[in-house]
Amino acid sequence: MAEEQVIAHPNAPVAINTDAAVDRLAEEAGRRFFEFLDTYRAAHDDGPERQRRPSAEAEELDGMPEYVKQLSALRQMDRSTLYVDFAHVQDANRELAEAVEEQYYRFEPYLRR
């Protein structure tokens, strides 16, 4: 018996497995980075800037993580660039900092989400 050949039409849709394209390590780096942004608290500074703030505002801001404060200010100013001090990342999560430093171009799209 002759073997049957199936020829696909050139415009036929092709099923693509998109699960194979997921970079699990980069996804994890992105998750940890956003966890860092949500929780990082800078050391308290009793310098002149803090003393000039009204006490109610100072109390409200003191209770918020550092980058959550910055994101709140960005929204109010209709801006979208958040500056992150890499030393803060190193202090909070050395493993994440080393991974980002070694494979920045791989992880960068996941850090921007």
Side-chain angles (χ1 to χ4, degrees), residues 12-33:
V14 178
I16 298 174
N17 182 359
T18 57
D19 291 337
V22 175
D23 185 340
R24 302 254 185 250
L25 186 58
E27 288 278 347
E28 180 65 15
R31 187 190 68 72
R32 288 185 183 196
F33 181 69

Side-chain angles (χ1 to χ4, degrees), residues 96-107:
L96 172 63
E98 288 173 2
V100 169
E101 193 170 38
E102 292 170 5
Q103 300 183 55
Y104 176 76
Y105 292 107
R106 175 183 178 185
F107 296 150

Side-chain angles (χ1 to χ4, degrees), residues 2-3 7 22 24 28-29 32 34 36 41 59-61 63 67 72-73 78 87 94-95 99 103:
E3 201 172 300
I7 300 174
V22 175
R24 302 254 185 250
E28 180 65 15
R32 288 185 183 196
F34 285 105
F36 157 77
R41 295 179 191 278
E59 287 179 24
E60 181 181 337
L61 292 175
Y67 293 102
S72 177
D78 199 27
R94 182 157 309 277
E95 184 179 292
Q103 300 183 55

Side-chain angles (χ1 to χ4, degrees), residues 21-107:
V22 175
D23 185 340
R24 302 254 185 250
L25 186 58
E27 288 278 347
E28 180 65 15
R31 187 190 68 72
R32 288 185 183 196
F33 181 69
F34 285 105
E35 182 179 290
F36 157 77
L37 293 177
D38 284 340
T39 60
Y40 183 78
R41 295 179 191 278
H44 287 290
D45 179 16
D46 292 325
E49 180 184 324
R50 182 182 167 116
Q51 293 172 358
R52 283 185 295 215
R53 268 193 241 140
S55 62
E57 180 186 351
E59 287 179 24
E60 181 181 337
L61 292 175
D62 282 345
M64 296 172 66
E66 182 69 24
Y67 293 102
V68 172
K69 288 184 228 177
Q70 287 187 38
L71 287 168
S72 177
L74 287 174
R75 272 191 227 112
Q76 292 173 358
M77 296 183 300
D78 199 27
R79 307 246 173 152
S80 61
T81 302
L82 175 69
Y83 294 96
V84 176
D85 186 338
F86 194 68
H88 293 169
V89 179
Q90 290 173 317
D91 289 343
N93 189 331
R94 182 157 309 277
E95 184 179 292
L96 172 63
E98 288 173 2
V100 169
E101 193 170 38
E102 292 170 5
Q103 300 183 55
Y104 176 76
Y105 292 107
R106 175 183 178 185
F107 296 150

